[in-house]
Amino acid sequence: QKEVEQDPGPLSVPEGAIVSLNCTYSNSAFQYFMWYRQYSRKGPELLMYTYSSGNKEDGRFTAQVDKSSKYISLFIRDSQPSDSATYLCAMSAWPGGGATNKLIFGTGTLLAVQP
Amino acid sequence: EAQVTQNPRYLITVTGKKLTVTCSQNMNHEYMSWYRQDPGLGLRQIYYSMNVEVTDKGDVPEGYKVSRKEKRNFPLILESPSPNQTSLYFCASRTGGDTQYFGPGTRLTVL
């Protein structure tokens, strides 16, 4: 069983829709949760970073963590064609990956926002 | 501009021909890592480095070597590449803080 599970999609939505992306995990030691966005032929870039349970909002993006259910979500409001990318969840027991600098990634969800 | 650079971006090679993928960061970061990204498997860490001359294995180190002689550079060496090392490779770096910055990726094909 993978430590982190993520629906690979693809997910296609019309412009303006609310998008929900999700990951589940099995390791209860994870405390730090990230969402990366990866455009085609580019490296991942950090989108959201949260610690422990709760919500964090940044513009059109909201990250939610439910540690009791081992479930994290990313919501995108008023989605735009420029949001079309692969979204990767990542997590770690230590900030930034700690001494081993290792993040555990989901496999990514491919999102297409249609104009 | 703060960035992580990798070279080459694309490489096609043959089995057994030694190759090096370079990684350089201009942010004075202590931590650096190499990941490979494969369909259905996500990003997996190959090697990491905590600082100059300090490196250690990640989850999938077989067939790879690294070195960290300077703080800014962290090359990935494949001494005898095999087809199962065909993948998309990413270098990443960070300070003691939270954010890992990724390079643009190197797509390697081993025939």
Side-chain angles (χ1 to χ4, degrees):
Chain A
Q1 182 189 4
K2 292 179 182 175
E3 278 190 288
V4 179
E5 300 276 1
Q6 184 175 6
D7 187 336
L11 186 60
S12 182
V13 301
E15 184 174 353
I18 297 175
V19 176
S20 172
L21 304 167
N22 311 295
C23 288
T24 60
Y25 63 95
S26 58
N27 189 343
S28 58
F30 290 151
Q31 299 261 39
Y32 299 86
F33 304 92
M34 291 135 275
W35 286 95
Y36 279 83
R37 179 175 59 196
Q38 185 177 16
Y39 291 115
S40 181
R41 303 185 192 281
K42 300 284 188 183
E45 59 176 338
L46 184 66
L47 197 58
M48 299 287 281
Y49 189 107
T50 54
Y51 168 68
S52 195
S53 285
N55 293 0
K56 183 176 182 179
E57 188 173 321
D58 184 0
R60 296 184 295 110
F61 299 90
T62 298
Q64 282 187 354
V65 176
D66 182 350
K67 288 190 68 183
S68 62
S69 302
K70 296 191 179 67
Y71 188 87
I72 69 170
S73 300
L74 177 70
F75 297 94
I76 306 174
R77 291 185 299 279
D78 187 25
S79 55
Q80 302 295 308
S82 59
D83 295 328
S84 298
T86 297
Y87 290 80
L88 304 161
C89 63
M91 45 198 82
S92 172
W94 306 99
T100 63
N101 204 40
K102 183 173 76 174
L103 301 178
I104 306 299
F105 283 87
T107 51
T109 299
L110 179 61
L111 171 66
V113 180
Q114 308 298 334
Chain B
E1 179 190 354
Q3 61 182 352
V4 180
T5 57
Q6 294 179 228
N7 282 292
R9 295 289 312 279
Y10 302 91
L11 180 60
I12 300 174
T13 188
V14 296
T15 298
K17 186 175 181 181
K18 182 178 178 179
L19 66 92
T20 299
V21 183
T22 65
C23 172
S24 184
Q25 49 92 6
N26 63 1
M27 296 169 280
N28 201 37
H29 285 172
E30 293 82 16
Y31 296 91
M32 298 185 76
S33 286
W34 276 102
Y35 290 86
R36 60 178 289 173
Q37 185 176 34
D38 301 291
L41 296 175
L43 283 140
R44 294 175 294 166
Q45 191 189 54
I46 303 170
Y47 267 93
Y48 68 94
S49 170
M50 295 173 65
N51 214 321
V52 175
E53 302 291 1
V54 183
T55 64
D56 207 346
K57 298 176 181 178
D59 291 330
V60 287
E62 294 77 20
Y64 305 95
K65 286 176 59 175
V66 293
S67 69
R68 188 97 181 269
K69 292 182 170 54
E70 302 167 283
K71 197 171 186 180
R72 64 183 292 126
N73 296 323
F74 190 44
L76 180 69
I77 303 155
L78 286 73
E79 294 211 325
S80 184
S82 62
N84 64 12
Q85 293 178 297
T86 292
S87 187
L88 181 57
Y89 291 86
F90 289 101
C91 181
S93 74
R94 71 176 174 95
T95 64
D98 305 328
T99 303
Q100 288 205 27
Y101 295 87
F102 283 80
T106 295
R107 185 167 293 279
L108 172 66
T109 301
V110 183
L111 302 175

